[in-house]
Amino acid sequence: MNFLELVAPNGLFSDGDWIEKKDQDESGRVRLIQLADIGICFFKDKSAKFVTEAKAQALNCTFLQKGDILIARLPDPLGRACIFPLDGKYITAVDVAIVRITRQDISPKYIIYLINSPSFRAEIKKFESGTTRKRISRKNLDKIQFDIPPFPVQERIVSRIEELFSQLDAGVAELKTAKERLKVYRQAVVSAAYPALTDENTRRLSDIAEITGGITKGRKFENSETVYLPYLRVANVQNGYLDLTEIKKIQLKKSETEKYLLKFGDVLYTEGGDRDKLGRGTIWRNEIENCVHQNHVFKARVDAERALPLYVAYWSMGTSARNYFYAKGKQSVNLASINKTVLSMLPIPLVSVERQKQVVAEIEAKLSVCDSIEKTVDTALQQAEALRQSILKSVFEGGLIDNEA
């Protein structure tokens, strides 16, 4: 059996619609379902693109129905599929194939688990195309042959898979809860290590550091010698760590390089975002050569004779600093922000450098334990996803259900 035979006689097997940026309208009532919404066996519900109903009708779009199967024709991974769970006005992007089954002898859940199984993935790989980014056409999807057992067997297989997945999901939920608790514990560790703020020890960040804003994008450079350098965006600067998965380059005057260049020990702070994440940041350790920062990321270059950069960085991650930024943030419609003045006024309990070394050592000793636990949790989460594939492999390549029969 192939997909066209699966959906016969009154079903649907088609691609989504070609929706260009000019077709989109944030005031529209028809949501565009995208590749980002499609998970492995589940709907992620992440996208937020819309078109008007008039535009969807003018483009002759295919409206989704609750229960449709959506197959991603681009990775990652290629061919992942889920059941569309929503009621209302929805269309989907052209790189998503729609499978609509109207037959009473076919379980859509069975088909979903089949499509996401390792054996089906292997078949998809035979028909993929592309060099830099793999894809599979709907025509090639329809070349894949598969067997469908009688409906009672489908139901029995689905029931067993969902029983095992439910147990797995419960374990994953506990692991994710453990990760969230580690975040809380990290902040508590940091906060507990510092002396309380007093009239005698309180200093402002600007008292012990030079604070600099970053480069504004989109500037004009007439008659100026320029260079392109890697730069940090808000997305790169997280609370306590850097996410360097994607690093972009920015144009700036060659004469500005020294002003914006990051140096080892610079403490980084974000200007905007969710209110509870304002001022998040970490320390720069020359992870990237000749790197600068965007205007939405501040750097504080600490006077090493007065304070340790790590002492300042860890303090900025603690409860007192987080509460300060939350209280001082300026809220707009969608985002909150702080400015250089607010950051400059951040209160810090300044003690002797020797005492600062003790505080940093205490924090790092306890955080190293957290890191070890988190690594164990992350490994377990990865193993859980591998186990999910193992369950599907056991079902569809013979063994699990047969052995239980």
Side-chain angles (χ1 to χ4, degrees):
M1 180 180 289
N2 59 16
F3 281 109
L4 280 176
E5 292 170 337
L6 179 71
V7 302
N10 300 313
L12 175 71
F13 180 49
S14 71
D15 287 331
D17 297 292
W18 186 269
I19 306 297
E20 299 182 75
K21 190 171 183 179
K22 65 180 178 62
D23 299 321
Q24 297 174 23
D25 187 334
E26 62 181 15
S27 66
R29 297 294 183 89
V30 179
R31 181 173 153 195
L32 175 63
I33 301 303
Q34 299 177 285
L35 287 166
D37 293 309
I38 303 176
I40 301 172
C41 299
F42 73 99
F43 183 70
K44 290 185 174 182
D45 203 8
K46 294 179 66 175
S47 64
K49 304 286 186 178
F50 297 86
V51 300
T52 64
E53 189 165 356
K55 175 62 69 173
Q57 297 285 4
L59 294 173
N60 197 28
C61 292
T62 300
F63 284 86
L64 296 178
Q65 294 181 11
K66 185 176 182 179
D68 284 349
I69 293 172
L70 305 180
I71 306 175
R73 298 197 296 100
L74 285 172
D76 197 20
L78 182 64
R80 67 193 183 278
C82 69
I83 292 177
F84 183 65
L86 305 178
D87 286 310
K89 299 286 187 179
Y90 298 91
I91 58 176
T92 190
V94 70
D95 288 316
V96 178
I98 307 166
V99 178
R100 183 173 299 157
I101 301 169
T102 58
R103 295 169 53 173
Q104 298 301 308
D105 63 334
I106 300 291
S107 164
K109 285 186 177 181
Y110 176 88
I111 300 301
I112 278 295
Y113 293 134
L114 173 64
I115 295 172
N116 285 293
S117 69
S119 56
F120 203 94
R121 291 263 178 88
E123 291 300 308
I124 285 176
K125 191 167 183 62
K126 293 178 184 178
F127 296 103
E128 67 183 19
S129 61
T131 52
T132 57
R133 195 178 188 195
K134 300 298 182 183
R135 65 173 61 239
I136 185 167
S137 67
R138 180 168 52 87
K139 182 178 178 180
N140 281 342
L141 269 175
D142 201 41
K143 292 178 181 179
I144 299 173
Q145 296 289 321
F146 46 87
D147 295 323
I148 304 294
F151 189 70
V153 178
Q154 295 175 46
E155 288 191 311
R156 186 157 59 92
I157 288 174
V158 167
S159 178
R160 184 58 175 144
I161 289 173
E162 294 192 338
E163 178 187 352
L164 294 170
F165 276 11
S166 178
Q167 295 171 9
L168 189 58
D169 289 341
V172 168
E174 289 183 6
L175 289 169
K176 290 181 177 179
T177 298
K179 284 199 72 168
E180 290 302 313
R181 287 174 179 168
L182 277 174
K183 289 181 183 179
V184 175
Y185 179 69
R186 285 177 188 275
Q187 188 164 326
V189 163
V190 169
S191 302
Y194 283 87
L197 287 165
T198 66
D199 291 341
E200 291 75 22
N201 69 16
T202 298
R203 299 293 183 273
R204 305 298 176 187
L205 181 59
S206 58
D207 294 335
I208 58 173
E210 178 187 359
I211 300 169
T212 309
I215 305 165
T216 302
K217 294 176 64 178
R219 296 181 300 160
K220 304 295 183 182
F221 298 98
E222 296 180 3
N223 304 318
S224 297
E225 185 178 4
T226 64
V227 293
Y228 283 87
L229 294 176
Y231 76 103
L232 292 186
R233 301 167 292 127
V234 171
N236 300 127
V237 182
Q238 300 298 317
N239 191 32
Y241 68 97
L242 294 170
D243 181 353
L244 304 179
T245 306
E246 182 183 17
I247 295 294
K248 298 183 179 181
K249 289 193 174 183
I250 194 169
Q251 185 181 19
L252 66 154
K253 294 179 182 178
K254 190 173 183 180
S255 60
E256 297 175 322
T257 303
E258 183 62 28
K259 176 182 178 182
Y260 295 116
L261 203 63
L262 293 169
K263 295 185 179 180
F264 191 96
D266 284 345
V267 183
L268 306 171
Y269 298 87
T270 57
E271 174 200 43
D274 295 336
R275 196 177 185 89
D276 62 341
K277 296 180 179 64
L278 291 178
R280 72 172 187 262
T282 187
I283 195 165
W284 179 252
R285 293 183 171 91
N286 286 351
E287 287 86 349
I288 299 171
E289 187 177 1
N290 294 326
C291 189
V292 294
H293 58 111
Q294 189 188 3
N295 60 314
H296 297 303
V297 176
F298 295 107
K299 72 168 180 278
R301 187 157 294 161
V302 178
D303 180 352
E305 294 186 0
R306 302 193 66 194
L308 302 176
L310 272 173
Y311 180 86
V312 175
Y314 282 134
W315 169 258
S316 302
M317 300 172 203
T319 302
S320 181
R322 308 307 321 140
N323 289 344
Y324 171 82
F325 290 130
Y326 188 92
K328 297 294 184 180
K330 184 178 180 181
Q331 186 73 47
S332 62
V333 176
N334 296 318
L335 296 173
S337 63
I338 56 171
N339 56 31
K340 184 178 177 181
T341 300
V342 169
L343 179 58
S344 298
M345 296 294 287
L346 173 67
I348 297 177
L350 191 66
V351 292
S352 69
V353 172
E354 285 304 313
R355 177 69 183 112
Q356 292 178 41
K357 289 179 180 178
Q358 293 172 4
V359 169
V360 169
E362 178 185 341
I363 291 171
E364 295 196 327
K366 292 181 178 179
L367 290 187
S368 67
V369 176
C370 292
D371 291 340
S372 178
I373 296 171
E374 187 165 29
K375 186 176 180 180
T376 300
V377 171
D378 287 338
T379 299
L381 286 170
Q382 291 172 3
Q383 291 171 341
E385 290 311 305
L387 182 56
R388 202 178 299 275
Q389 285 295 298
S390 179
I391 290 170
L392 294 177
K393 180 180 176 68
S394 297
V395 169
F396 291 106
E397 295 182 23
L400 185 60
I401 299 298
D402 292 342
N403 291 339
E404 294 178 352

